[in-house]
Amino acid sequence: MKKTILIFFSTIACFLCYGQQDIGKSTDEYFKRTEPLGFSGAIIISKDGETILNEGYGYANREIQKKNTSNSVFSTGSVTKQFTAAAIMKLEMMGKLKTDDKISKYFENVPNVKSEIKIHNLLTHTSGLTGALADDFDEISKEKYLNQALNSKLEFNPSENFNYSNVGYSLLAMIIEKQSGISYEEFLNKYLFTPSGMNQTGYKLPDWNESNFVQIYNGSKNNGSTEIFTNPTWHLIGNGGILSTTSDMIKWVKALNTEKILSNKIKEKMFTPYRNDYGYGWDVLDDGALRQHNGGSTLGLGAELRWFVQDKVVTMIFTNATINGDLGFNVVRGDLEALAMGDNIPLPPKFSTVKADTKFLVGTYQLPSGQQFQIQNNSEYAVLLIDNQELLDLISDPKNYSPNSPSIVLNKKFHEAFDKAFSNNDYSGFSFTGASKELENEIKNEIKMEGLKNPHFKVVKSFLSKNNKNAYITQIALSEDPDFNNESMLLSIVTENSKYAGLGVDFGFVGPVELTLYPTGKDKFQAYNLSNKMGAIIEITGNNDNYNFIVNGTKVSNIKKIN
């Protein structure tokens, strides 16, 4: 019996869009649709001081199918650092310290090479201290941690560079304890959290409801509960792991927006961008219009707080699961911002998954033209890897699909032209664009400006311009790495009616587009990538070695599974 793979193209054209009429409703609909795509966590949006959405999505515990809620307790990760910074500023207001103080004022036996480190340097990651000393959960005494920190290698002289340092923030926690006479968490609870009305934020002091802790997933692996952060080691205290909820985090920003906790004068100092646009515990971007911090770990958890000051919009997102190997907040960040600002965006397809074994799909396939592609298995679902132009055309533009499409022909011409240019310094191969000399000058100039020596090239893809149906954009990657494993310079060459029309430059990683195959029924899958919003509905029937792909009525026969 033959197998037929039926694909209905379902990218932006068929997605629902929502406008500014109801930000809360549209954002809620978006995140409900991301649940089967792997999103798991909780979000809150505040605008003009009013909460317009506060909901949980996905599972707090997959094993018992318990859902996340607005009461779920997550780790703030490195968002903890802005609490530590606020505590230091509170102590400065109280006359207990100054940010210009050297750490030798608070610690004994500071080596000479570290004697010039100031509290300001710890706050801004300009101390030269190393990033971390060991794993977050390795047991260590306060005294031993301090000794290791003070005797660790100094990466650079204080104030000369930037190196994100968890160690620096743990030292700040020790200074808080020394100058306040109480524990780090007790100080935060007394002077920051309680005045802000936050009773669900901390390590061990809150009266936690154990049922609100969430499980943490990296792929299909369960890495335990957020309850592990109720007993932090000095590898975490001050730099990460404080537990909280979406509701408490909004209370915190509201308090910071007044002088209830910190004076305006002291906040101006805290929100000043220093080296690498880092203030005291915050990234301060866009001339101060955006204050943010995020955090996450290989366990699979993530958190990001973003405060759009001029727009009076605050978003807080917690995630307790990765999405295709990436931290959840990274994948949805742009969409959450757009939705919070009331923008129209394409929503993911609406579907529900079923349990299904997709291992039979895994293998290497060959199109009749000879082009090959793979379906691989990740920890949860099969993944279709799109790494050739023909398959990309079939998925993204089935009506105009052809083994000799304009994009495929264009790729071939550019490949031959770059091969000739880089092998023989002969740019005559670009004559088909009508601008051989101009392209030679442009390409050589970009290579020189980037300092590339003997770069390799790779024709990535060609696609129609969204704004001009007569224009194609061909993307070429240039890198000194022949395998293109590192970040590459990406040239976007525009041709209009086959003639050169311009060149753009960007930087990024080159790799296949990965469409996860989510089972939706017997032999049926929703293929989708949440990051680039590309997708298709796929139905598979037939035997093991002969396939047909039908994409919106466009049929490609005799696709072989070769291993």
Side-chain angles (χ1 to χ4, degrees):
M1 182 175 69
K2 287 187 176 182
K3 282 194 174 182
T4 300
I5 300 182
L6 185 62
I7 305 179
F8 298 99
F9 182 55
S10 63
T11 52
I12 293 175
C14 69
F15 295 153
L16 297 176
C17 292
Y18 287 83
Q20 299 183 24
Q21 297 86 353
D22 192 336
I23 293 172
K25 182 178 179 181
S26 60
T27 306
D28 182 53
E29 178 64 20
Y30 171 88
F31 279 97
K32 284 178 179 176
R33 292 183 179 215
T34 64
E35 287 181 301
L37 300 170
F39 181 80
S40 184
I43 67 160
I44 191 167
I45 300 174
S46 172
K47 185 172 177 60
D48 298 322
E50 298 295 326
T51 297
I52 57 179
L53 181 67
N54 186 12
E55 290 289 344
Y57 302 91
Y59 289 114
N61 189 319
R62 293 176 185 172
E63 287 72 21
I64 61 174
Q65 295 195 318
K66 180 183 177 181
K67 300 280 286 187
N68 282 315
T69 72
S70 59
N71 294 319
S72 295
V73 176
F74 298 85
S75 167
T76 62
S78 285
V79 179
T80 293
K81 290 181 175 65
Q82 51 84 37
F83 290 134
T84 302
I88 289 288
M89 303 315 290
K90 187 69 174 180
L91 284 169
E92 184 167 68
M93 283 180 61
M94 296 165 68
K96 300 285 187 178
L97 55 75
K98 295 180 181 179
T99 55
D100 282 336
D101 290 342
K102 295 178 181 179
I103 64 171
S104 56
K105 183 176 180 179
Y106 304 102
F107 301 125
E108 297 179 354
N109 302 317
V110 176
N112 288 336
V113 71
K114 296 183 177 72
S115 62
E116 295 300 312
I117 296 176
K118 299 178 180 180
I119 290 177
H120 171 84
N121 297 126
L122 299 181
L123 288 164
T124 58
H125 299 296
T126 57
S127 66
L129 291 171
T130 189
L133 297 176
D135 184 82
D136 289 346
F137 301 100
D138 284 357
E139 291 292 338
I140 190 170
S141 68
K142 182 178 179 179
E143 293 73 21
K144 186 174 182 181
Y145 186 93
L146 177 60
N147 181 64
Q148 288 185 10
L150 293 180
N151 290 286
S152 63
K153 178 185 176 182
L154 197 67
E155 304 293 336
F156 50 81
N157 293 326
S159 301
E160 289 187 357
N161 211 330
F162 180 97
N163 183 55
Y164 189 87
S165 176
N166 288 321
V167 174
Y169 268 77
S170 288
L171 294 187
L172 288 170
M174 293 183 185
I175 292 173
I176 290 168
E177 294 194 344
K178 184 177 182 65
Q179 295 309 103
S180 68
I182 56 179
S183 75
Y184 167 79
E185 186 181 4
E186 286 173 324
F187 185 86
L188 267 61
N189 187 66
K190 181 177 180 178
Y191 291 99
L192 305 185
F193 302 153
T194 298
S196 302
M198 302 161 66
N199 60 14
Q200 291 291 287
T201 301
Y203 289 126
K204 53 179 84 168
L205 289 181
D207 184 16
W208 298 118
N209 181 339
E210 291 185 4
S211 67
N212 287 331
F213 293 122
V214 303
Q215 302 299 119
I216 308 165
Y217 300 93
N218 189 334
S220 61
K221 183 181 179 182
N222 185 334
N223 286 312
S225 161
T226 49
E227 189 174 6
I228 60 175
F229 293 99
T230 61
N231 188 30
T233 73
W234 273 101
H235 291 294
L236 264 180
I237 295 171
N239 73 71
I242 281 181
L243 297 165
S244 191
T245 64
T246 50
S247 298
D248 259 21
M249 293 303 294
I250 286 296
K251 290 176 183 177
W252 171 241
V253 176
K254 286 182 177 180
L256 281 181
N257 208 28
T258 69
E259 292 190 89
K260 183 183 294 185
I261 307 297
L262 300 174
S263 69
N264 288 333
K265 182 179 180 180
I266 210 81
K267 284 187 293 184
E268 182 179 354
K269 188 176 180 180
M270 185 169 73
F271 291 128
T272 295
Y274 301 100
R275 190 181 285 269
N276 282 37
D277 291 327
Y278 199 89
Y280 288 175
W282 292 81
D283 293 312
V284 184
L285 310 174
D286 300 337
D287 296 322
L290 173 59
R291 301 163 181 168
Q292 67 174 29
H293 210 295
N294 60 46
S297 80
T298 55
L299 293 176
L301 57 85
E304 184 167 61
L305 173 61
R306 307 186 85 198
W307 182 358
F308 301 89
V309 181
Q310 295 176 355
D311 297 296
K312 297 181 179 179
V313 170
V314 179
T315 63
M316 181 71 214
I317 179 169
F318 288 114
T319 55
N320 64 313
T322 57
I323 302 176
N324 297 330
D326 200 356
L327 294 177
F329 73 84
N330 274 336
V331 178
V332 300
R333 174 193 290 116
D335 289 344
L336 176 57
E337 177 183 345
L339 288 162
M341 296 298 177
D343 294 342
N344 289 328
I345 69 164
L347 297 185
K350 191 173 184 178
F351 66 95
S352 299
T353 59
V354 299
K355 290 185 178 180
D357 182 9
T358 59
K359 291 180 180 178
F360 74 95
L361 291 172
V362 175
T364 301
Y365 297 78
Q366 182 171 290
L367 295 163
S369 65
Q371 290 286 342
Q372 296 181 3
F373 64 93
Q374 290 185 323
I375 295 179
Q376 295 181 350
N377 198 37
N378 67 12
S379 58
E380 295 176 89
Y381 302 111
V383 177
L384 173 64
L385 303 183
I386 302 177
D387 60 357
N388 67 73
Q389 186 71 52
E390 185 177 353
L391 185 59
L392 178 64
D393 287 350
L394 180 61
I395 298 295
S396 62
D397 190 15
K399 290 184 180 179
N400 296 308
Y401 164 77
S402 167
N404 296 302
S405 69
S407 55
I408 292 174
V409 172
L410 200 55
N411 283 0
K412 184 177 180 180
K413 288 182 177 179
F414 273 112
H415 180 89
E416 292 173 349
F418 271 93
D419 186 47
K420 191 174 184 178
F422 282 19
S423 298
N424 305 315
N425 195 31
D426 181 356
Y427 282 75
S428 64
F430 292 99
S431 60
F432 71 94
T433 67
S436 298
K437 193 63 181 177
E438 186 175 355
L439 267 172
E440 178 180 2
N441 293 336
E442 290 271 13
I443 294 168
K444 286 184 174 179
N445 183 56
E446 295 297 342
I447 291 173
K448 182 180 179 180
M449 288 178 63
E450 187 57 23
L452 293 176
K453 297 179 180 179
N454 302 316
H456 300 268
F457 77 92
K458 182 177 183 179
V459 180
V460 180
K461 60 184 176 181
S462 293
F463 53 93
L464 272 173
S465 167
K466 294 180 180 179
N467 303 317
N468 186 342
K469 293 182 179 180
N470 295 317
Y472 276 85
I473 301 171
T474 303
Q475 197 174 71
I476 314 291
L478 301 182
S479 175
E480 294 176 352
D481 175 14
D483 296 320
F484 293 87
N485 291 321
N486 301 317
E487 189 175 51
S488 301
M489 181 165 70
L490 302 175
L491 303 181
S492 293
I493 302 176
V494 183
T495 50
E496 184 174 359
N497 295 320
S498 300
K499 300 303 178 184
Y500 176 66
L503 182 146
V505 180
D506 202 350
F507 297 88
F509 291 91
V510 177
V513 176
E514 299 184 4
L515 297 187
T516 302
L517 302 176
Y518 300 96
T520 58
K522 187 178 185 302
D523 299 332
K524 295 182 180 180
F525 304 88
Q526 171 69 63
Y528 196 72
N529 183 303
L530 187 57
S531 297
N532 62 27
K533 299 178 177 59
M534 183 179 183
I537 297 173
I538 304 176
E539 184 175 352
I540 304 174
T541 59
N543 61 26
N544 293 326
D545 58 4
N546 194 10
Y547 297 81
N548 297 319
F549 275 41
I550 302 175
V551 185
N552 264 17
T554 300
K555 182 177 181 180
V556 181
S557 301
N558 298 318
I559 298 174
K560 305 293 184 181
K561 186 175 183 181
I562 58 178
N563 64 42

